[in-house]
Amino acid sequence: MPELPEVETVRCNLAATLRELRVTSVCFRRRDILRPDPRTGSDAIDLAIRKTCGSRVRDIDRLGKNLILKMNGAWGWIVHLGMSGTLVHGCAPPEDVHAHVAWWLEDGSTLVFRDPRRFGGWTLAEYAPIREVLRDRVGIDALDPALNLARFRDLLSPSITPIKCRLLDQRLVAGLGNIYADEILFAAGIDPRSPSCALDHASWERLFREMHRVLEGAVCRRGTTLSDYRDGWGGMGSYHACLAVYGKEGEDCPRCGNPIHRMSFRGRGTHFCPRCQQFAKGR
DNA sequence: TTACTCCTGGCC
DNA sequence: GGCCAGGAGTAA
């Protein structure tokens, strides 16, 4: 399930090989992959094909879990990989029934979007700046240098909502999903059920520091491949070897040796060590 | 704020 | 054959 480190890895791959290539042919096999622009409501497939054919990829950007394919002419595609989406630039012809979008490029290569579970989507952003299209749905990127500790705390703390839910809210800080939220909370020693308003200053410091450490470590290892995820060239990530709690139910906590617990929390599998992760009760 | 819905491969 | 995984939009 692609989160910030996986999407950033795809972005780096695609930026290295796709930039300045002209699109010669386009196929959107499934109409429901196209999401309407929230500002215009437009999801017309003929417009999508007409705009893309003949355009060049100017650059690849990222905001949270969203990839932004910037095309020449100040417009672009916002691609969300959902749970099982992959966007791979290579030579393989898109024969697969799960290959919903395919671009053919001037050098004979292809860009193929596969998404078996179809939670992903493409949004045609017709106007600059493209990031404006995401403004109401996506907050500041978790690795944005402008996000300092004070701003992080100000965004997440004013609520009794459990801290894990706040970390997963893309409108606040964008990029974290279930795997990294669990890993970051374990690293920071905070119970995921703690009300965010009850965390003390030391907890916010640890949370902010560990968020950076975990995400940057995962980017270095090209993300976590548990099943579907592949990078922009079809390769796998290796951060799963570094996971401390996610998917480790019943295994020994790497810190205290007691078993890792798993519970269903607000509809999400949540992995934690009840001994190492303190429930914040506030003052 | 919370619960439900979408979807399908993998597992039991 | 049935359950589970989960991001995000929507309805209540």
Side-chain angles (χ1 to χ4, degrees):
Chain A
M1 38 222 77
E3 303 179 30
L4 186 151
E6 290 75 33
V7 180
E8 176 60 18
T9 304
V10 174
R11 189 201 68 76
C12 285
N13 293 153
L14 299 185
T17 57
L18 203 58
R19 205 178 276 169
E20 296 307 325
L21 283 179
R22 190 170 64 87
V23 183
T24 56
S25 182
V26 174
C27 177
F28 288 91
R29 288 201 178 133
R30 289 193 67 101
R31 190 191 175 89
D32 57 9
I33 286 299
L34 285 182
R35 292 179 181 173
D37 182 329
R39 296 196 306 174
T40 64
S42 166
D43 69 342
I45 197 161
D46 53 340
L47 171 70
I49 293 170
R50 200 167 59 243
K51 282 194 83 99
T52 307
C53 277
S55 292
R56 283 182 195 279
V57 179
R58 187 156 53 83
D59 203 0
I60 321 284
D61 205 352
R62 181 187 61 75
L63 180 61
K65 303 175 193 173
N66 297 274
L67 278 169
I68 301 169
L69 308 181
K70 296 163 113 175
M71 311 301 286
N72 63 339
W75 65 280
W77 282 103
I78 298 165
V79 180
H80 197 294
L81 300 176
M83 272 196 64
S84 59
T86 60
L87 189 62
V88 176
H89 183 213
C91 306
E95 303 289 341
D96 194 329
V97 291
H98 299 302
H100 307 311
V101 180
W103 290 5
W104 285 263
L105 299 136
E106 60 183 334
D107 65 351
S109 62
T110 54
L111 178 70
V112 177
F113 175 72
R114 273 189 93 248
D115 187 13
R117 295 188 196 179
R118 305 217 305 272
F119 278 22
W122 288 50
T123 304
L124 179 62
E126 295 180 58
Y127 305 103
I130 296 166
R131 281 173 176 246
E132 279 292 293
V133 176
L134 293 168
R135 191 182 57 180
D136 296 332
R137 290 182 288 156
V138 185
I140 187 168
D141 190 83
L143 292 183
D144 190 323
L147 181 64
N148 57 25
L149 172 60
R151 189 167 172 192
F152 179 68
R153 180 180 177 163
D154 286 349
L155 282 167
L156 299 188
S157 67
S159 170
I160 60 165
T161 304
I163 184 61
K164 178 170 178 181
C165 299
R166 299 291 279 177
L167 288 172
L168 292 176
D169 190 337
Q170 303 300 300
R171 295 165 301 181
L172 304 174
V173 170
L176 299 180
N178 204 41
I179 296 175
Y180 293 108
D182 280 2
E183 291 297 313
I184 290 163
L185 286 165
F186 171 75
I190 298 168
D191 188 306
R193 298 164 291 187
S194 303
S196 52
C197 60
L199 269 58
D200 61 16
H201 185 69
S203 297
W204 285 109
E205 280 185 330
R206 290 198 309 278
L207 193 58
F208 187 65
R209 184 181 67 234
E210 295 303 329
M211 180 180 77
H212 274 267
R213 191 186 62 77
V214 168
L215 292 179
E216 286 162 8
V219 170
C220 286
R221 286 181 164 262
R222 312 182 60 74
T224 300
T225 296
L226 292 176
S227 55
D228 300 296
Y229 165 70
R230 296 294 182 274
D231 68 24
W233 298 334
M236 296 199 282
S238 65
Y239 192 77
H240 53 275
C242 303
L243 296 176
V245 289
Y246 185 84
K248 307 285 186 184
E249 182 186 12
E251 296 184 28
D252 295 345
C253 167
R255 198 172 288 155
C256 74
N258 282 289
I260 298 296
H261 282 220
R262 183 192 176 281
M263 63 178 174
S264 183
F265 180 58
R266 304 276 178 106
R268 295 285 173 269
T270 296
H271 308 76
F272 69 110
C273 173
R275 188 160 186 175
C276 295
Q277 294 177 247
Q278 304 299 313
F279 184 82
K281 296 191 177 115
R283 283 140 292 168

